[in-house]
Amino acid sequence: MPAETTNRPKPSNRSRSSWIVPVAVLTVAAVLMAVIVWVNWSGTSPEDGSSPSGEGAPTEVQNPEQPDLTEVEARDEGDLLAAGPVDAPVVLVVFSDYQCSFCARWSEQTLPSMMEHVDAGNLRIEWRDVSVFGPASERAARASYAAALQGAFWEYHDDLFADGETRSEGDLSEEALVALAAELGLDTEQFAADLAAEETAQVIAANQQFGFDLGATSTPVFILGGQPIVGAQPTGVFEDAFQTALDAAE
């Protein structure tokens, strides 16, 4: 299937924070980066619909052995960007950007199906914003966290991706994001304060660095039951992967 991801537009000058990545995570990061590079290289370009072919084109590996990336699951009871029980048999980690059209499409087409498994207690979803499109995406991520502090993360997320579409940079201004909070009935004064808070910026930056350190420099990228899925694949791909992971956990 085409790997429908949006690549990071240009290299970032992000600083190397003092956040220390455990050795185990570094190990799975190397594996995940290899998977992402392999999929992006062997997959179909979402822009032109073409695939590498002819002399010198890469040969697809048949039934490649998949790595186990369950180390990236946080299972943190205090995680405001998660849904589902911490002891759910299966975890889906999502790396997404609020200006990524493929992320918006996945949220409209596939996230509702995954939420049904959350409601059944069989799946936990952990959301990690990787703002590859820069300041407007990062601002939207901080806004979604501010909404999460009022218990409205998923409602706010759904409105940012309403109808499976992304918002323009103008619609992700601070004023527009506060207005969106007002539409959801949130305390806008508190929301604005949390949006600008250093603590909020630190949480979002830490999640983004986590994604970057794992090699998630394009979006969307998923880890479902410890297995990587790159791009906005059809819902059936996620359902099959979920069932396989659930069967293995039981």
Side-chain angles (χ1 to χ4, degrees):
M1 286 300 302
E4 294 185 327
T5 63
T6 302
N7 291 315
R8 199 174 171 195
K10 60 179 67 174
S12 169
N13 293 324
R14 68 186 188 281
S15 61
R16 291 296 179 188
S17 70
S18 58
W19 190 75
I20 305 301
V21 181
V23 173
V25 173
L26 285 173
T27 301
V28 298
V31 177
L32 178 57
M33 283 189 283
V35 171
I36 291 173
V37 168
W38 178 81
V39 171
N40 285 336
W41 173 240
S42 62
T44 301
S45 166
E47 284 78 17
D48 60 16
S50 63
S51 298
S53 61
E55 185 177 356
T59 300
E60 184 171 331
V61 177
Q62 299 300 314
N63 301 316
E65 182 179 353
Q66 295 294 314
D68 180 3
L69 304 178
T70 52
E71 292 285 349
V72 308
E73 299 171 1
R75 294 185 181 269
D76 179 1
E77 289 186 353
D79 189 347
L80 299 179
L81 307 180
V86 293
D87 58 350
V90 183
V91 174
L92 168 62
V93 184
V94 182
F95 297 96
S96 180
D97 181 301
Y98 282 114
Q99 291 187 92
C100 161
S101 59
F102 297 122
C103 303
R105 181 193 306 175
W106 184 87
S107 287
E108 182 197 34
Q109 297 179 350
T110 302
L111 181 57
S113 295
M114 294 295 102
M115 280 298 185
E116 291 180 7
H117 300 306
V118 169
D119 292 340
N122 291 323
L123 180 67
R124 177 175 176 81
I125 298 177
E126 297 176 351
W127 202 268
R128 302 293 177 252
D129 296 298
V130 178
S131 301
V132 296
F133 281 100
S137 298
E138 189 269 343
R139 191 163 51 246
R142 284 191 288 111
S144 69
Y145 186 78
L149 288 170
Q150 296 189 44
F153 169 69
W154 293 103
E155 292 85 348
Y156 200 89
H157 161 277
D158 290 347
D159 275 7
L160 285 175
F161 280 155
D163 300 321
E165 300 288 340
T166 58
R167 293 171 175 254
S168 67
E169 283 201 18
D171 287 335
L172 296 177
S173 67
E174 185 171 322
E175 293 76 13
L177 293 167
V178 173
L180 179 57
E183 292 175 12
L184 291 173
L186 304 183
D187 179 336
T188 53
E189 184 175 347
Q190 184 63 53
F191 178 89
D194 291 333
L195 173 60
E198 178 60 25
E199 180 180 354
T200 298
Q202 290 177 358
V203 170
I204 297 304
N207 283 340
Q208 174 163 288
Q209 190 64 52
F210 178 65
F212 284 157
D213 288 337
L214 287 173
T217 55
S218 63
T219 54
V221 172
F222 311 87
I223 298 173
L224 177 52
Q227 300 300 307
I229 300 176
V230 179
Q233 306 280 352
T235 299
V237 172
F238 287 86
E239 288 291 349
D240 291 345
F242 166 75
Q243 194 58 55
T244 298
L246 183 62
D247 291 344
E250 291 179 343

